[in-house]
């Protein structure tokens, strides 16, 4: 988008290369900031079905518009996978990042002991509540 010959050199480039925060719907539904407004005249070049809300680097080089849902899906897909055994309904892992731990404590809905540093997820969640892992439950290992 920058340096294209048909653009005015003084024109502002629309919110280029910003990342949207990852929102975990199971825990933080309704707590995130409002969705960014669509960029006028831009369509998501990944799904071709929604207005673009930000501009990101394209895989082939250059820039491309992307919608919030596609950006969110890419962020989740980039998370490491935590796999449960067949029939297991709960997974936990320590939270080593202080910011994630603080956000997890705030979203817990009940006071946690000061020593508590575990993120606990239950089936069928697809992302752990602190946002560190994608979850794969034993019965859906084929996916």
């Amino acid at each position: 988008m920058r340096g294209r010959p048909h653009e005015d050199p003084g024109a502002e480039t629309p919110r280029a290369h910003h990342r949207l925060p990852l929102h975990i719907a199971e825990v933080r539904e309704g707590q995130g900031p409002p969705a960014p407004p669509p960029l006028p005249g831009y369509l998501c070049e990944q799904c071709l079905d929604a207005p673009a809300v930000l501009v990101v680097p394209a895989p082939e080089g250059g820039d491309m518009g992307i919608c919030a849902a596609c950006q969110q899906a890419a962020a989740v897909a980039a998370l490491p996978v935590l796999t449960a055994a067949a029939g297991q309904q709960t997974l936990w892992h320590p939270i080593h990042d202080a910011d994630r731990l603080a956000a997890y404590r705030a979203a817990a809905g009940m006071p946690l002991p000061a020593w508590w540093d575990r993120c606990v997820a239950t089936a069928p969640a697809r992302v752990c509540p602190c946002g560190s892992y994608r979850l794969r439950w034993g019965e859906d290992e084929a996916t």
Side-chain angles (χ1 to χ4, degrees), residues 10-129:
E12 184 178 322
T13 302
R15 288 174 253 141
H17 307 292
H18 291 287
R19 299 283 184 218
L20 294 177
L22 176 65
H23 299 288
I24 308 305
E26 292 88 359
V27 174
R28 300 183 193 134
E29 186 173 337
Q31 292 181 0
L39 299 173
Y42 288 89
L43 184 65
C44 177
E45 295 178 52
Q46 189 157 351
C47 69
L48 301 173
D49 193 38
V53 295
L54 67 148
V55 178
V56 297
E60 313 81 40
D63 295 331
M64 67 183 224
I66 191 168
C67 68
C70 288
Q71 192 277 335
Q72 189 80 351
V76 168
L79 293 174
V81 176
L82 191 60
T83 304
Q88 188 175 358
Q89 296 296 303
T90 305
L91 285 172
W92 67 268
H93 66 86
I95 305 172
H96 299 293
D97 181 270
D99 293 333
R100 285 188 191 266
L101 181 58
Y104 180 79
R105 288 177 168 280
M110 65 179 150
L112 296 172
W115 50 266
W116 189 266
D117 68 347
R118 307 279 190 263
C119 176
V120 179
T122 56
R126 294 290 163 210
V127 177
C128 69

